[in-house]
Amino acid sequence: MTDERRDAVAGAAVRPLAPQEGAAPGTAQATGTATGPADPDPPDTDPSPPASGPPLGPAETRLLIRAQLRTALGTGAFVMTVVTVLPALMVIVPAVARARVHGVPLPWLVLAFGIQPVWVAVSFRQLGRAERVERDLTRPADRR
């Protein structure tokens, strides 16, 4: 094995550099060599994840899309209901709109701190339902 090959295998290839002007004597810039990692082989990466089950056909894909769309529409309807009920509540009950907590209007506090946990819960529910639909559809027929 040659010295260059041994250095490359060890992970530090020595390659010549042109000395830089004004470099201090004895430094890597003045001597014209530098050590660094060898050019690695490109990693073997496959952009597609391994399939966990049999490939889906066009009919199964349509079923999956419809089921996940149905779940997403239900989640969207819930979100729209919450968003429209809050302003309606303030119009119907003006005392709620005028209420203040430590000088801050109550609707602002509800929007700032009360809605965020709802969004997080709804998003986790949506994710779980979509994954369950996909898992149930891709499970072999004999195990359903």
Side-chain angles (χ1 to χ4, degrees):
M1 183 182 281
T2 65
D3 290 334
E4 286 181 31
R5 179 70 180 145
R6 188 176 308 118
D7 288 341
V9 170
V14 176
R15 57 186 183 275
L17 290 177
Q20 296 180 351
E21 289 185 35
T27 62
Q29 289 89 6
T31 58
T33 61
T35 59
D39 294 331
D41 292 335
D44 294 333
T45 57
D46 185 14
S48 62
S52 60
L56 296 178
E60 290 88 3
T61 302
R62 278 193 299 275
L63 283 174
L64 177 62
I65 290 172
R66 284 183 184 154
Q68 288 183 340
L69 178 63
R70 190 172 31 253
T71 302
L73 289 175
T75 301
F78 177 77
V79 168
M80 290 304 294
T81 302
V82 170
V83 168
T84 56
V85 164
L86 284 174
L89 177 66
M90 287 175 232
V91 170
I92 295 170
V93 185
V96 174
R98 287 190 305 265
R100 294 187 175 273
V101 177
H102 297 291
V104 179
L106 180 62
W108 289 10
L109 291 174
V110 170
L111 288 174
F113 300 109
I115 297 297
Q116 298 308 317
V118 173
W119 295 158
V120 170
V122 167
S123 65
F124 277 120
R125 181 176 175 264
Q126 165 67 25
L127 177 66
R129 291 180 79 185
E131 286 179 344
R132 186 176 62 238
V133 166
E134 186 173 350
R135 191 173 45 248
D136 288 348
L137 188 64
T138 58
R139 194 175 343 159
D142 61 332
R143 298 178 78 189
R144 288 185 186 172

